[in-house]
Amino acid sequence: ATATIGMTGLAVMGRNLARNIANHGHTIAVHNRTTARTTALVEEFGDEPTEHGGAFVATESLEEFVAAIRRPRAIIIMVKAGEPTDAVIEELVPLLDEGDIVVDAGNAHFTDTLRRQQALESQGLHFVGMGVSGGEEGALKGPSIMVGGSEHAFEVLEPVVMSITAQVDGTPCAAHVGPDGAGHFVKMVHNGIEYADMQLIAESYDLLRSVAGLEPAEIADVFDEWNAGDLESFLIEMTADVLRHTDAATGKPFVDVVRDAAEQKGTGRWTVQSALDLGVPITGIAEATFARSLSGHTAQRAAAQKMFSTTTEDQRVEVDRDTFVDQVRAALYAAKVVAYAQGFDQIAAGSEEHGWEVDLGETATIWRGGCIIRAQFLDRIKEAYASEPDLTTLLTTPYFVDAVKDGVDAWREVVATGARAGVPTPAISSSLAYFDGLRRTRLPAALIQGLRDNFGAHTYERTDREGTFHTTWAGDRTEKEM
Ligand code: NBP
């Protein structure tokens, strides 16, 4: 056995991650169900050591693959999430020895990771659920890595993980976020935040174009300008790139020839489902997920467009272009603070529920590079948790308080303008509603409690004394302490 680690599953992600590992001086055994992928990798990049001393050991059968790795073995599975991952684990496990470490680096649902971890642990094996972010390019050049598993398993994997991950200011964008499902959970919420981020950007674009009348190339310039300030991020930069792109076939802006139905692979949905289970209001992520669903509901959209033509129902809203651009920037920033605050709340709640003890500041730190949501902004979040590890909500950290206070008038103006013009802003406006909901001293939830007690005797608590109460609504309306 010559390899220090193994990788099975050599589609785009596995192939690039294996190359990244070899480029960092590790000898890696490679395997794929269809041998052609293994052959192609080795034919293209050779099986001689790389300039850094790493090399590929190409294998055809799983038996050969397992035999090529030094014990205790560390084996990364990078195949399609769900049943294919279970199929690979099932084939692999009988070939392994006690103490070997099986790493699932695919986009597994964290509940699958919990189940697999239990199953493998009972067979004397270690199981690690490793969230890898950054897509194809990140896998090759340095992804953000969220490791979930035992301390021991992490210690074994650490040299490889820390060498292949992205680095920001000398700090690796990888960490042991917690045991069992913690890595995949944090990766899931990361993807949810990515949904919210993209939706907020898309709404901002729509407002600038439909209300202020800017052309896509002009909006690209606006995003470039924003990218020089506190909104600086990979997604803002990429938005300018996409908006400036012209379709070669028609000469039109690229964004005008793409069908306006956003697809999703499911991590946004998982994030929302988990948030519902945990009772955490992640309205930004939820609205972003539903907005994608709405965009794909062709029949309903066609029916509504026929009945409610956009010209008759919407008001013409006159805005001063420069002022409106600034207002949209402020609204985007404030709504983004809310979306991240909600995402971090969800990680805190998941961590509490499963006893993971996820370090929220560290989570912000490892998202600063290698992943799609990498942003300047994450430095602020890292600092917020560094100065106050038990922070109740990111919204109340001084830096964000100032940003939200300074931006709140603009935020309201943008939401109101969008509503008047008939330009939907589900994520920007729901974030404002969330913010207003949190900061109000009295919420109409009191009335809901009254209704619930009236129709269902669900009881209520009082503001002026302890206890649980019920009013005999159908009778003499006296109040009873329960
Ligand atoms: P895919 O998700 O497209 O999966 C293809 C790989 O799965 C191939 O190696 C294929 O083998 C293997 N596979 C399948 Br399908 N069924 C199998 C089975 N029953 N037994 C053994 N192998 C099987 O690859 P990917 O896009 O590279 O993604 C890999 C993982 O990384 C996924 O979980 C994905 O969600 C995650 N991820 C992807 C991205 C991204 O940007 N693409 C980002 C982050 C995470 P074959 O060659 O023999 O068909």
Side-chain angles (χ1 to χ4, degrees):
T2 52
T4 44
I5 194 160
M7 170 87 64
T8 180
L10 302 173
V12 276
M13 290 296 288
R15 170 190 163 92
N16 278 358
L17 205 60
R19 285 178 59 199
N20 186 352
I21 292 172
N23 285 340
H24 284 90
H26 310 280
T27 296
I28 178 166
V30 284
H31 171 268
N32 191 72
R33 177 181 63 176
T34 311
T35 309
R37 287 198 202 268
T38 317
T39 318
L41 174 71
V42 177
E43 269 176 8
E44 200 170 338
F45 303 105
D47 51 7
E48 293 298 314
T50 65
E51 57 178 303
H52 308 285
F56 298 116
V57 180
T59 62
E60 285 195 19
S61 68
L62 263 186
E63 287 79 4
E64 199 190 335
F65 171 65
V66 167
I69 307 162
R70 278 206 296 270
R71 289 178 59 191
R73 302 180 185 90
I75 295 180
I76 303 177
I77 301 173
M78 197 47 147
V79 301
K80 210 177 193 62
E83 280 173 25
T85 305
D86 280 320
V88 173
I89 292 173
E90 201 172 309
E91 270 185 79
L92 197 57
V93 163
L95 308 175
L96 300 180
D97 292 291
E98 197 169 335
D100 285 352
I101 301 168
V102 177
V103 182
D104 176 17
N107 257 345
H109 194 293
F110 75 96
T111 53
D112 283 340
T113 305
L114 288 170
R115 168 177 61 77
R116 290 169 184 148
Q117 198 262 345
Q118 278 184 356
L120 266 68
E121 203 96 316
S122 70
Q123 296 173 72
L125 300 170
H126 299 280
F127 186 74
V128 169
M130 188 164 94
V132 178
S133 171
E136 201 177 329
E137 191 179 321
L140 179 64
K141 296 184 180 161
S144 169
I145 305 177
M146 293 142 263
V147 183
S150 67
E151 285 286 351
H152 166 75
F154 180 70
E155 275 168 26
V156 174
L157 297 170
E158 198 171 4
V160 172
V161 167
M162 292 305 180
S163 68
I164 63 168
T165 190
Q167 307 263 339
V168 174
D169 307 331
T171 308
C173 297
H176 179 218
V177 296
D180 50 69
H184 278 138
F185 184 88
V186 170
K187 170 68 178 17
M188 174 190 78
V189 178
H190 159 282
N191 283 31
I193 290 176
E194 185 181 306
Y195 272 55
D197 230 341
M198 285 165 67
Q199 178 64 24
L200 292 170
I201 287 173
E203 291 173 16
S204 302
Y205 150 76
D206 198 8
L207 287 162
L208 294 180
R209 188 150 189 203
S210 309
V211 178
L214 273 70
E215 291 302 323
E218 294 174 304
I219 304 174
D221 292 341
V222 168
F223 272 83
D224 273 341
E225 233 169 80
W226 289 354
N227 200 38
D230 52 13
L231 273 169
E232 184 190 337
S233 63
F234 174 67
L235 279 172
I236 294 277
E237 183 188 329
M238 188 175 259
T239 302
D241 191 29
V242 172
L243 288 176
R244 197 168 282 123
H245 185 57
T246 303
D247 174 51
T250 59
K252 291 183 182 167
F254 167 80
V255 72
D256 287 349
V257 298
V258 177
R259 193 163 91 84
D260 58 346
E263 294 179 7
Q264 46 184 321
K265 279 193 179 165
T267 38
R269 187 176 68 238
W270 292 349
T271 314
V272 179
Q273 284 168 338
S274 148
L276 290 172
D277 290 340
L278 292 165
V280 182
I282 53 159
T283 56
I285 298 170
E287 288 295 351
T289 309
F290 286 131
R292 287 199 195 185
S293 306
L294 185 150
S295 74
H297 282 206
T298 321
Q300 288 92 332
R301 286 180 62 188
Q305 282 163 27
K306 207 166 152 196
M307 198 56 76
F308 310 106
S309 103
T310 44
T311 46
T312 54
E313 297 297 317
D314 306 334
Q315 290 177 22
R316 249 194 111 68
V317 182
E318 295 295 335
V319 294
D320 174 75
R321 268 169 68 135
D322 291 347
T323 310
F324 193 64
V325 167
D326 284 345
Q327 287 172 333
V328 172
R329 193 205 60 78
L332 171 58
Y333 192 81
K336 183 170 161 144
V337 172
V338 165
Y340 277 70
Q342 294 176 339
F344 276 82
D345 278 355
Q346 183 174 4
I347 295 177
S351 175
E352 173 84 26
E353 168 94 2
H354 297 280
W356 288 328
E357 298 186 7
V358 176
D359 180 331
L360 299 180
E362 186 179 59
T363 301
T365 307
I366 64 173
W367 290 347
R368 292 185 308 154
C371 66
I372 308 298
I373 62 170
R374 58 186 185 260
Q376 270 291 312
F377 181 80
L378 286 157
D379 279 331
R380 306 281 92 79
I381 298 181
K382 175 185 149 231
E383 287 157 16
Y385 284 111
S387 60
E388 208 181 328
D390 293 325
L391 194 64
T392 312
T393 163
L394 271 176
L395 271 177
T396 59
T397 200
Y399 182 86
F400 292 136
V401 168
D402 289 346
V404 171
K405 275 190 175 165
D406 291 348
V408 71
D409 290 344
W411 197 4
R412 292 191 195 292
E413 194 54 40
V414 165
V415 169
T417 304
R420 278 199 298 273
V423 176
T425 58
I428 295 179
S429 54
S430 73
S431 302
L432 179 60
Y434 173 88
F435 165 74
D436 280 330
L438 283 190
R439 81 188 177 89
R440 292 200 78 196
T441 46
R442 286 285 291 163
L443 288 171
L447 174 59
I448 291 174
Q449 285 297 79
L451 293 170
R452 293 177 70 248
D453 189 56
N454 188 322
F455 69 67
H458 291 302
T459 74
Y460 52 89
E461 290 174 51
R462 295 183 57 98
T463 54
D464 52 0
R465 57 184 200 274
E466 293 281 306
T468 305
F469 303 91
H470 167 60
T471 292
T472 53
W473 296 96
D476 61 3
R477 299 199 164 216
T478 53
E479 183 176 79
K480 289 185 186 144
E481 185 159 3
M482 307 302 288

